[in-house]
């Protein structure tokens, strides 16, 4: 099943800022593995899909917001691997559908909307039983693919051949950060950048995921850098937008505004502040998410338009 995917290339970045700081910068391009099932979301889905097959379940049911990369990837993976898919979407239906949900629908995903209160119950046994009553025998994948099978897939993200001291990645649920940390050598280190406000809670969450996976606690060091959330999940400002545009122009690497843009911004800022010692080799994980830019840019345009009209 992995043969459908291209091995992610590692791209060396020629950056003046990094050069000046004596830091080597490379990017692992998970965004290039597949046109639609890409980024870290594929790794989080992989063992869930294998488990669904092992349990002989032919329907995947999962949860996400209206712009969710996970919904997008699950819909595409379902089509690719012959599963029926059901997406439980947070909030009310908005028509016309945004590009994310339109794509999911085109892949054959059934979209079902949950009001925010019910959506809040998504982890409860009760709601999951309800859903099985309603949709039959389904394999339930938690929001974002954030379970221990998701962690397991993320152990496979970094290729054996990669040569680096510190890996940097954007962080939502912490599942990817946990899997990547588990795959490191003891002399390496992970830095995770939460993209939501108050990301400090992820310290406990990542700890939990790590210890669940490896109770001995013998994994490489890791840390959170919580200063680059830009006001919260999916919040952006001019500074971030400009950074992403410039980065794409200069290095020919497109970034998404929700995850990778914030992490790359954070890393470049930390380099400028002398956070990393000279000689340090950094590997930045491009976790994908570019599909979300289309909907995001449309929304930003609408806002600018409203703004200039008022
Ligand atoms: C979901 C996502 C993340 C965050 O992954 P977690 O495992 O939830 O921390 C990072 N980058 C992109 C592009 C994503 O879609």
């Amino acid at each position: 099943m992995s043969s459908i995917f291209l091995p992610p290339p590692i791209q060396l970045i020629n950056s003046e800022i990094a050069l000046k700081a004596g830091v080597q910068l490379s990017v692992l391009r998970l965004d290039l593995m597949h046109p639609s099932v890409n980024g870290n979301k594929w790794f989080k889905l992989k063992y869930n899909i294998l488990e669904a097959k092992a349990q002989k379940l032919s329907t995947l049911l999962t949860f996400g917001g209206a712009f969710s990369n996970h919904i997008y990837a699950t819909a595409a993976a379902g089509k690719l691997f012959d599963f029926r898919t059901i997406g439980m979407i947070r909030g009310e239906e908005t028509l016309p559908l945004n590009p994310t949900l339109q794509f999911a629908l085109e892949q054959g995903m059934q979209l079902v909307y949950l009001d925010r209160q019910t959506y809040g119950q998504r982890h409860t046994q009760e709601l999951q039983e309800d859903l099985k009553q309603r949709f039959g025998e389904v394999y339930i994948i938690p929001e974002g693919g954030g379970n221990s099978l998701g962690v397991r897939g993320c152990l496979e993200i970094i290729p054996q051949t990669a040569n680096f001291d510190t890996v940097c990645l954007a962080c939502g649920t912490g599942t990817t950060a946990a899997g990547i940390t588990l795959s490191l050598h003891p002399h390496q280190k992970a830095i995770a950048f939460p993209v939501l406000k108050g990301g400090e809670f992820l310290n406990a969450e990542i700890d939990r995921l790590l210890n669940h996976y490896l109770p001995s606690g013998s994994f490489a060091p890791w840390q959170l850098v919580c200063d680059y959330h830009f006001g919260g999940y999916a919040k952006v400002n001019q500074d971030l937008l400009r950074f992403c545009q410039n980065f794409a122009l200069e290095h020919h690497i497109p970034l998404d505004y929700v995850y990778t843009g914030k992490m790359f911004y954070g890393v470049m800022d930390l380099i400028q502040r002398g956070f990393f010692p000279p000689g340090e080799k950094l590997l930045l994980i491009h976790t994908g998410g570019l599909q979300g830019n289309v909907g995001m840019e449309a929304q930003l345009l609408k806002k600018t338009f409203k703004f200039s009209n008022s």
Side-chain angles (χ1 to χ4, degrees):
M1 103 196 277
S2 296
S3 62
I4 297 173
F5 300 91
L6 293 171
I10 294 178
Q11 192 174 341
L12 201 61
I13 304 287
N14 235 324
S15 144
E16 196 109 352
I17 294 168
L19 204 66
K20 230 162 120 190
V23 168
Q24 184 188 305
L25 210 55
S26 28
V27 180
L28 177 65
R29 301 284 308 268
L30 305 184
D31 58 312
L32 296 179
M33 294 177 68
H34 187 275
S36 48
V37 193
N38 69 50
N40 61 336
K41 295 300 183 280
W42 159 244
F43 290 91
K44 299 207 278 180
L45 282 171
K46 179 177 171 186
Y47 287 99
N48 278 296
I49 286 178
L50 288 170
E51 179 61 23
K53 283 238 195 275
Q55 291 184 22
K56 304 218 178 331
L57 296 173
S58 57
T59 303
L60 307 174
L61 181 149
T62 194
F63 304 85
F67 293 91
S68 164
N69 295 329
H70 168 69
I71 288 289
Y72 190 95
T74 305
K79 171 138 190 204
L80 213 49
F81 300 115
D82 295 324
F83 286 90
R84 182 182 159 224
T85 52
I86 305 173
M88 310 302 294
I89 311 300
R90 181 182 62 233
E92 282 172 18
E93 181 179 35
T94 313
L95 294 173
L97 292 178
N98 72 33
T100 305
L101 296 182
Q102 184 60 38
F103 173 85
L105 195 69
E106 281 161 11
Q107 301 297 299
M109 181 177 260
Q110 179 183 354
L111 301 176
V112 181
Y113 296 87
L114 290 180
D115 64 77
R116 277 158 204 275
Q117 193 191 347
T118 313
Y119 191 88
Q121 312 285 309
R122 65 193 175 279
H123 298 303
T124 63
Q125 189 84 33
E126 212 180 340
L127 182 69
Q128 303 213 346
E129 286 308 317
D130 270 3
L131 293 173
K132 285 181 185 171
Q133 289 279 327
R134 193 166 156 199
F135 298 107
E137 279 300 311
V138 292
Y139 182 85
I140 297 181
I141 303 174
E143 181 182 61
N147 57 10
S148 59
L149 290 174
V151 173
R152 179 170 168 198
C154 292
L155 279 137
E156 298 174 4
I157 287 179
I158 299 182
Q160 298 283 332
T161 51
N163 173 20
F164 63 95
D165 306 304
T166 298
V167 56
C168 300
L169 71 151
C171 177
T173 63
T175 315
T176 307
I180 280 183
T181 300
L182 288 164
S183 75
L184 297 182
H185 298 290
H187 63 273
Q188 294 173 321
K189 178 179 165 194
I191 304 183
F193 292 75
V195 298
L196 26 79
K197 205 150 106 183
E200 290 80 5
F201 79 94
L202 285 164
N203 272 311
E205 178 55 17
I206 293 172
D207 246 344
R208 187 186 70 79
L209 290 166
L210 288 169
N211 286 299
H212 177 80
Y213 210 90
L214 201 67
S216 71
S218 54
F219 26 76
W222 60 278
Q223 76 177 91
L224 292 180
V225 171
C226 297
D227 307 327
Y228 298 97
H229 56 70
F230 288 85
Y233 184 77
K235 295 252 168 41
V236 298
N237 66 13
Q238 284 302 329
D239 218 18
L240 179 65
L241 294 176
R242 205 168 303 125
F243 172 82
C244 291
Q245 282 166 3
N246 285 340
F247 197 89
L249 278 176
E250 201 174 329
H251 304 297
H252 308 289
I253 300 181
L255 301 172
D256 82 296
Y257 306 120
V258 181
Y259 291 100
T260 53
K262 293 182 181 181
M263 183 271 284
F264 275 70
Y265 185 108
V267 170
M268 298 313 284
D269 192 49
L270 289 178
I271 292 175
Q272 269 176 319
R273 289 166 188 268
F275 181 87
F276 300 104
E280 185 93 340
K281 292 194 190 83
L282 298 184
L283 180 67
L284 279 58
I285 313 285
H286 194 314
T287 37
L290 295 169
Q291 68 84 22
N293 279 9
V294 186
M296 186 83 143
E297 279 160 5
Q299 277 210 327
L300 288 170
L301 272 174
K302 245 194 281 179
K303 265 189 215 158
T304 320
F305 185 66
K306 262 191 213 150
F307 182 68
S308 58
N309 260 352
S310 62

